[in-house]
């Protein structure tokens, strides 16, 4: 097949038959289809069979696969460049790609630069040599004096009394606290609402910087699992990448010395993440200053651990009287205005 004659077909998420074909092709290449992909580029052979594909999700290239019989024909480089062009057409100019290590050269040839990797498992690249450095420079401008500089990474879906308790306890142990809000819109509450609720709920506090969402804070919701078959490996790779990026690129410009987390008695994954945090934020394998992890007991109400999951449960049942004991006044007013009035 002449590389100059490649004619890539677009298959959009709503094309159920096309998505079924893509899914079957990915399965034959030991991959799973990933969520949130808006459109696939596929290449077919003379029989109409898919022999290569790649998908575009908001800001991320995913599900790149090429049939073994077609390797070495220039398809990979052409597919990579075509995906980048399509992403730009869709308005995604800041791009990441998570891919298998063997695919890294195809994307570095197209202007991608590696950020972090889990050896033998996954490599994360982005299409700029300076964007991460620019982000670090913006962080450095927010650096505060002190010997104990704390940090929290928070989703807050929505912001509860337990979140506020964690922040207040962390502040009591720090000279300054940096709070990073997970930026993806993959939660019941939008990123804009979650950010606004955090800012409203912490407006009375000093020595606190609330950082808006950054793509360099990797959430479990957006970490692709399509090329990692075992769920335990998915979680492990996500955690290692996320924590390595935080320690190497985010903490040093701010002088962060501590990271605070709430204990998690009800979620196995989050509890495991907290344990991994103690490893990767202090591991001598990473060439960056170590970060001390401090775990704080979760706040309870009437012997019941306060969580965002329970707040969403009470909200779904319309039980505003109960949930008012689980959230700050600012969150309660927001929920009343948005949900109770909407149901009238």
């Amino acid at each position: 097949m002449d590389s100059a004659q490649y004619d890539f077909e677009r298959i959009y998420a709503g094309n159920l038959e096309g998505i079924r074909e893509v899914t079957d092709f990915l399965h034959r290449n030991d991959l799973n289809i990933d969520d949130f992909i808006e459109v696939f580029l596929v290449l077919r052979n003379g029989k109409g069979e898919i022999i290569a594909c790649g998908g575009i999700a908001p800001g991320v290239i995913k599900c790149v696969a090429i049939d073994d019989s077609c390797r070495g024909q220039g398809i990979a480089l052409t597919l990579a460049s075509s995906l980048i062009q399509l992403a730009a057409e869709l308005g995604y100019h800041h791009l990441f790609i998570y891919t298998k290590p063997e695919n890294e050269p195809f994307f570095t040839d197209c202007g991608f630069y590696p950020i972090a990797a889990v050896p033998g498992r996954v490599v994360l690249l982005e299409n700029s040599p300076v964007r991460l450095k620019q982000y670090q420079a913006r962080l450095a401008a927010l650096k505060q004096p002190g010997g104990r500089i704390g940090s929290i990474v928070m989703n807050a879906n929505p912001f509860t009394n337990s979140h506020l308790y964690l922040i207040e306890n962390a502040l009591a142990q720090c000279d300054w606290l940096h709070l990073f809000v997970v930026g993806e819109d993959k939660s019941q509450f939008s990123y804009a609402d979650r950010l606004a609720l955090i800012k409203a709920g912490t407006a009375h506090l000093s020595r606190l910087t609330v950082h808006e969402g950054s793509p360099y804070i990797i959430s479990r919701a957006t970490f692709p699992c399509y090329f990692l078959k075992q769920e335990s490996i998915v979680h492990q790779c996500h955690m290692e990448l996320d924590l390595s990026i935080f320690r190497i690129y985010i903490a040093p410009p701010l002088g962060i010395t501590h990271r605070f987390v709430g204990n998690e008695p009800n979620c196995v994954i989050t509890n495991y993440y907290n344990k991994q945090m103690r490893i990767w934020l202090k591991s001598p394998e990473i060439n960056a200053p170590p970060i001390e992890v401090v775990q704080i007991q979760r706040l309870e109400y009437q012997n019941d651990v306060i969580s965002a999951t329970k707040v969403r449960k009470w909200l779904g049942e319309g039980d505003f009287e109960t949930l008012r004991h689980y959230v700050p006044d600012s969150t309660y007013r927001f929920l009343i205005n948005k949900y109770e009035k909407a149901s009238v």
Side-chain angles (χ1 to χ4, degrees), residues 188-190 193 315 320 332-343:
Q188 178 175 330
F189 291 84
S190 70
D193 285 345
L315 183 62
F320 290 89
Y332 182 70
R333 290 194 299 271
F334 169 85
L335 296 175
I336 286 289
N337 289 332
K338 184 167 185 176
Y339 291 94
E340 187 176 54
K341 290 183 178 180
S343 64

Side-chain angles (χ1 to χ4, degrees), residues 245-280:
I245 290 171
F246 185 86
R247 181 174 168 188
I248 295 169
Y249 298 111
I250 296 175
L254 293 167
I256 289 171
T257 59
H258 291 70
R259 182 154 164 180
F260 293 86
V261 296
N263 73 311
E264 187 51 71
N266 299 320
C267 179
V268 174
I269 295 174
T270 304
N271 188 48
Y272 181 65
Y273 184 85
N274 289 349
K275 291 179 180 178
Q276 290 297 303
M277 202 178 295
R278 297 180 185 277
I279 297 173
W280 292 107

Side-chain angles (χ1 to χ4, degrees), residues 166-187:
L166 173 63
I167 293 168
E168 290 175 335
N169 275 268
L171 272 171
Q173 302 179 48
C174 291
D175 298 307
W176 200 272
L177 180 65
H178 292 277
L179 172 59
F180 297 88
V181 183
V182 174
E184 289 87 5
D185 269 321
K186 302 292 188 297
S187 303

Side-chain angles (χ1 to χ4, degrees), residues 165-313:
Y165 181 79
L166 173 63
I167 293 168
E168 290 175 335
N169 275 268
L171 272 171
Q173 302 179 48
C174 291
D175 298 307
W176 200 272
L177 180 65
H178 292 277
L179 172 59
F180 297 88
V181 183
V182 174
E184 289 87 5
D185 269 321
K186 302 292 188 297
S187 303
Q188 178 175 330
F189 291 84
S190 70
Y191 163 67
D193 285 345
R194 290 185 291 106
L195 178 63
L197 289 174
I198 291 172
K199 288 184 173 181
T202 60
H204 62 292
L205 300 174
S206 59
R207 297 181 294 110
L208 173 68
T209 300
V210 177
H211 294 264
E212 297 188 1
S214 161
Y216 300 107
I217 301 288
I218 305 171
S219 76
R220 287 199 306 269
T222 57
F223 180 76
C225 58
Y226 53 88
F227 53 80
L228 300 168
K229 288 292 187 180
Q230 297 180 27
E231 189 174 6
S232 61
I233 296 177
V234 173
H235 297 318
Q236 179 65 41
C237 290
H238 159 254
M239 294 169 190
E240 187 172 338
L241 276 182
D242 180 49
L243 294 169
S244 298
I245 290 171
F246 185 86
R247 181 174 168 188
I248 295 169
Y249 298 111
I250 296 175
L254 293 167
I256 289 171
T257 59
H258 291 70
R259 182 154 164 180
F260 293 86
V261 296
N263 73 311
E264 187 51 71
N266 299 320
C267 179
V268 174
I269 295 174
T270 304
N271 188 48
Y272 181 65
Y273 184 85
N274 289 349
K275 291 179 180 178
Q276 290 297 303
M277 202 178 295
R278 297 180 185 277
I279 297 173
W280 292 107
L281 294 186
K282 298 186 73 174
S283 171
E285 296 179 23
I286 297 177
N287 185 24
I291 300 170
E292 190 71 29
V293 178
V294 181
Q295 185 167 283
I296 293 175
Q297 196 73 14
R298 293 278 291 274
L299 184 66
E300 295 183 358
Y301 173 72
Q302 294 183 346
N303 297 318
D304 184 31
V305 172
I306 294 175
S307 70
T309 300
K310 289 173 183 174
V311 170
R312 295 194 301 272
K313 175 180 181 293

Side-chain angles (χ1 to χ4, degrees), residues 6 18 26 36 77 86 116 134 177-178 199 250 253 281 327:
Y6 293 151
L26 290 171
F36 310 113
L77 186 60
L86 176 57
Q134 292 170 341
L177 180 65
H178 292 277
K199 288 184 173 181
I250 296 175
L281 294 186
V327 298

